[in-house]
């Protein structure tokens, strides 16, 4: 059963909000042809009935867990408040469950816990017109949501520069990617407004806007509240859905109070149900466990789960049971304490990196200080790139970064890979998450030499 329906199939929750929730029929034109052709896996569709009290199931071809060789599982968990390492083990039942098939949407008690997390973090109450599904990392869910909505030829607005990992997803569908630029305050809502207001009358309007609102990968920028509200207003006015990809939400370390997420903000909008939110615990719990979840209106959740049924059947039960054990052991407050510590860790890393950027790249590069996430996005001052205004991005970091920097033993990403159009840019993305100070220093010293050489200047040190 979906989280927003009671046993009679009715929505429940705050009535003033429910009157603003978009109806199911609203999503019909947003669903892709591929999704409309998908049919349910007849076995998986019946799996939830196995949990009905009194039912004896002869349904699924589940292997007998007694034959599995793993007999127990213990691990230690660092307490975020005391730093103490606490032993945790799975009970016999939990272990048996973790090693078995489970539903395509996710393990019910984990889904329930995560819905509670969305209430805790974003103030979106259960039953207020949204639901949640678990995925194999947020990438899995972004891929499925993009496929659920877009047909070949549909237009997708993409905040650019953009996380390079999503470009192939839109590309494979044959969607037209229209770049929406930004600055240190986030997405360029004014430019977006102009684009939409001057949209050709004979061309269908964009179906979605993809954005990374906190610590955007690659720019490190967090969109301000004003920008977010403007984008929400544009979504309503020009009828598009917002794909809010937010893996750095819990890595916000800016000095200003954190702006609310789009998912939170839309609760007070005249219409509720345009935001499709992707969360990931990759950056704060483990990237290898692949913990991602989508919070979205029911028809979008249904389309994504149907895709899972048709492809990988389900996200791993093992990961889900293990995550649930950890998360329940902590509770929401301790999870918050943990992520705050992680954010503080990255703030320190950022400060070290930036200090060394000043030492080695002052006058050779320009950047804004990131307030979330794990990247510096900086513009190299290469020959031909120092003009201002509209031509400010002329020049190209690609050869310098891909060839010369690599020959000098530094690996970073040239900015061009973050533009769906593949356009030239003098920007570079450098990650500050992993390296110790001495290695950051050496990397930036080498980069300095490379830039000086490219500029035809002798290395100063
Ligand atoms: C903006 C963005 N979205 C999604 C992802 C993928 O996250 P996950 O590990 O949950 O698939 C990343 C990972 O770097 C990212 O930067």
């Amino acid at each position: 059963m979906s989280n927003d329906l009671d046993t009679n199939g009715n929505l429940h929750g705050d009535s003033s909000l429910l009157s603003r929730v978009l109806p199911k029929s609203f999503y019909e034109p947003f669903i892709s042809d591929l999704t409309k052709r998908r049919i349910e896996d007849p076995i998986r569709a019946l799996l939830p009935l196995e949990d009905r009290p009194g039912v004896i199931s002869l349904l699924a071809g589940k292997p007998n867990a007694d034959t599995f060789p793993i007999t127990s599982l213990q691990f230690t968990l660092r307490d975020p408040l005391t730093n103490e390492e606490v032993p945790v083990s799975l009970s016999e039942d939990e272990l048996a469950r973790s090693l078995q098939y489970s539903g395509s949407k996710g393990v019910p008690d984990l889904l329930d816990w995560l819905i509670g997390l969305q209430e805790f973090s974003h103030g979106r109450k259960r039953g207020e017109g949204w639901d949640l599904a678990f995925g194999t990392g947020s990438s899995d869910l972004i891929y499925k949501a993009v496929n659920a909505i877009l047909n070949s030829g549909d237009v997708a607005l993409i905040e650019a520069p953009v996380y390079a990992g999503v470009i192939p997803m839109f590309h494979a569908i044959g969607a037209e990617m229209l770049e929406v630029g930004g600055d240190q305050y986030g997405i360029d809502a004014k430019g977006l407004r102009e684009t939409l207001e001057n949209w050709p009358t004979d061309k269908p309007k964009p179906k979605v806007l993809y954005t990374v609102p906190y610590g955007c990968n690659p720019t490190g920028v967090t969109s301000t509240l004003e920008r977010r509200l403007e984008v929400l207003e544009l979504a309503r006015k020009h009828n598009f859905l917002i794909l809010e990809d937010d893996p750095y939400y819990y890595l916000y370390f800016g000095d200003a109070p954190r702006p609310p997420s789009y998912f939170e903000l839309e609760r007070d909008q005249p219409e509720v149900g345009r935001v499709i939110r992707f969360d990931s615990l990759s950056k704060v719990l483990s990237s290898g466990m692949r913990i991602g979840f989508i919070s979205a209106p029911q028809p979008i959740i249904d389309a994504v789960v149907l895709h899972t049924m048709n492809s990988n059947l389900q996200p791993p039960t093992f990961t889900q049971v293990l995550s649930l054990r950890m998360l329940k052991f902590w509770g929401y407050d301790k999870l918050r304490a943990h992520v705050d510590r992680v954010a503080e860790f990255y703030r320190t890393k950022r400060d070290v990196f930036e200090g060394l950027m000043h030492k080695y790249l002052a006058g050779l590069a320009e950047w804004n200080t990131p307030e979330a996430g794990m990247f510096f996005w900086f513009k190299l001052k290469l020959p031909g790139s120092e003009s201002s205004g509209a031509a400010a991005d002329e020049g190209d970091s690609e050869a310098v970064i891909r060839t010369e920097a690599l020959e000098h033993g530094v690996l970073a990403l040239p900015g061009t890979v973050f533009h769906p159009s593949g356009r030239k840019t003098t920007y570079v993305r450098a990650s500050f998450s992993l390296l110790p100070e001495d290695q950051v220093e050496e990397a930036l010293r080498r980069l300095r030499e490379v830039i000086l050489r490219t500029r035809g200047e002798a290395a100063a040190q």
Side-chain angles (χ1 to χ4, degrees):
M1 190 177 78
S2 91
N3 116 70
D4 58 345
L5 301 178
D6 65 18
T7 43
N8 300 317
N10 298 317
L11 281 164
H12 58 92
D14 175 343
S15 60
S16 79
L17 183 138
L18 293 184
S19 64
R20 288 179 281 122
V21 170
L22 291 161
K24 198 172 170 202
S25 56
F26 166 81
Y27 299 93
E28 181 64 22
F30 282 98
I31 300 294
S32 70
D33 297 340
L34 173 67
T35 303
K36 287 180 181 154
R37 284 195 299 274
R38 287 193 194 282
I39 52 169
E40 283 191 332
D41 168 338
I43 304 171
R44 297 230 126 224
L46 293 177
L47 267 185
L49 295 180
E50 286 194 326
D51 296 329
R52 188 177 275 187
V55 166
I56 302 175
S57 176
L58 306 174
L59 179 71
K62 290 183 180 171
N64 192 317
D66 291 346
T67 64
F68 295 156
I70 300 178
T71 56
S72 70
L73 190 79
Q74 288 94 28
F75 52 97
T76 51
L77 202 54
R78 193 183 310 119
D79 187 294
L81 300 177
T82 61
N83 235 4
E84 194 190 343
E85 293 197 4
V86 188
V88 181
S89 50
L90 294 194
S91 69
E92 227 174 273
D93 272 3
E94 281 172 323
L95 181 66
R97 203 173 155 212
S98 75
L99 297 173
Q100 189 56 274
Y101 287 122
S102 56
S104 297
K105 189 175 171 188
V107 166
D109 20 355
L110 177 61
L111 296 178
D112 192 59
W113 199 93
L114 294 172
I115 287 169
L117 178 64
Q118 301 303 62
E119 293 182 331
F120 179 78
S121 296
H122 304 280
R124 287 293 301 269
K125 300 281 180 289
R126 65 188 73 217
E128 292 182 346
W130 61 282
D131 196 9
L132 185 143
F134 191 87
T136 312
S138 61
S139 309
D140 176 38
L141 298 164
I142 299 166
Y143 177 76
K144 287 169 181 167
V146 163
N147 276 271
I149 297 169
L150 295 171
N151 292 314
S152 176
D154 282 346
V155 183
L157 301 162
I158 311 275
E159 181 182 16
V162 65
Y163 166 48
V166 297
I167 297 175
M169 301 183 191
F170 291 93
H171 184 80
I173 291 171
E176 183 184 330
M177 288 178 263
L178 194 66
E179 296 190 12
V180 183
D183 56 22
Q184 72 267 38
Y185 305 109
I187 192 162
D188 176 13
K190 190 163 169 272
L192 178 58
R193 184 182 295 278
E194 271 167 31
T195 304
L196 292 167
E197 281 175 0
N198 296 303
W199 197 261
T201 45
D202 56 347
K203 184 172 173 167
K205 285 226 176 131
K207 271 182 159 176
V208 293
L209 164 72
Y210 170 87
T211 178
V212 182
Y214 282 95
C216 181
N217 178 357
T219 58
V221 168
T222 294
S223 273
T224 60
L225 174 62
E226 293 68 30
R227 295 282 172 95
R228 290 172 196 237
L229 289 173
E230 215 175 332
V231 167
L232 280 165
E233 186 215 317
L234 289 172
R236 184 160 48 89
K237 199 163 167 206
H238 297 279
N239 197 26
F240 58 85
L241 304 177
I242 299 173
L243 303 177
E244 175 177 45
D245 179 14
D246 211 356
Y248 304 103
Y249 176 78
Y250 291 112
L251 284 194
Y252 180 74
F253 39 74
D255 293 328
R258 92 182 10 262
S261 63
Y262 281 104
F263 186 56
E264 178 169 348
L265 287 170
E266 82 155 346
R267 196 177 183 278
D268 298 323
Q269 294 292 304
E271 282 173 356
V272 180
R274 290 190 182 270
V275 177
I276 299 170
R277 177 174 171 84
F278 303 94
D279 276 278
S280 167
L281 298 184
S282 285
K283 319 293 174 185
V284 289
L285 286 190
S286 155
S287 44
M289 282 175 76
R290 314 302 297 128
I291 308 171
F293 44 102
I294 174 174
S295 308
Q298 195 64 52
I300 304 296
I301 296 289
D302 290 346
V304 164
V305 175
L306 193 54
H307 189 159
T308 300
M309 271 190 194
N310 285 190
S311 54
N312 56 330
L313 297 185
Q314 59 158 102
T317 321
F318 191 73
T319 302
Q320 295 182 70
V321 172
L322 209 62
S323 323
L324 182 63
R325 190 77 183 82
M326 259 166 92
L327 294 168
K328 270 196 154 164
F329 191 79
W330 275 352
Y332 300 120
D333 288 325
K334 278 201 181 172
L335 175 64
R336 177 45 72 106
H338 170 74
V339 297
D340 288 349
R341 273 176 63 151
V342 178
E344 198 46 43
F345 171 91
Y346 284 109
R347 178 212 282 272
T348 308
K349 285 257 175 222
R350 176 204 66 182
D351 291 346
V352 168
F353 200 98
E354 187 161 28
L356 291 165
M357 295 262 285
H358 282 299
K359 179 168 174 190
Y360 290 102
L361 299 187
L364 301 179
E366 285 170 358
W367 63 90
N368 292 315
T369 307
E371 297 197 320
M374 42 183 69
F375 305 108
F376 267 93
W377 176 246
F378 51 96
K379 182 180 177 189
L380 300 185
K381 293 187 163 189
L382 297 176
S385 70
E386 293 186 44
S387 47
S388 58
D393 280 342
E394 280 178 15
D396 188 8
S397 63
E398 188 155 23
V400 179
I401 293 300
R402 272 203 208 281
T403 317
E404 284 144 61
L406 193 55
E407 277 165 12
H408 275 71
V410 193
L411 190 57
L413 272 167
T416 179
V417 307
F418 300 98
H419 284 280
S421 62
R423 74 172 171 81
K424 291 184 194 322
T425 162
T426 45
Y427 278 87
V428 178
R429 190 192 81 171
S431 164
F432 58 80
S433 56
L434 281 181
L435 294 184
E437 184 166 352
D438 59 333
Q439 286 195 38
V440 174
E441 173 140 30
E442 181 55 19
L444 293 179
R445 193 192 61 73
R446 291 179 191 177
L447 208 51
R448 174 185 175 82
E449 270 180 27
V450 170
I451 301 170
L452 285 173
R453 260 172 206 242
T454 310
R455 288 164 58 111
E457 298 166 23
Q461 46 181 299

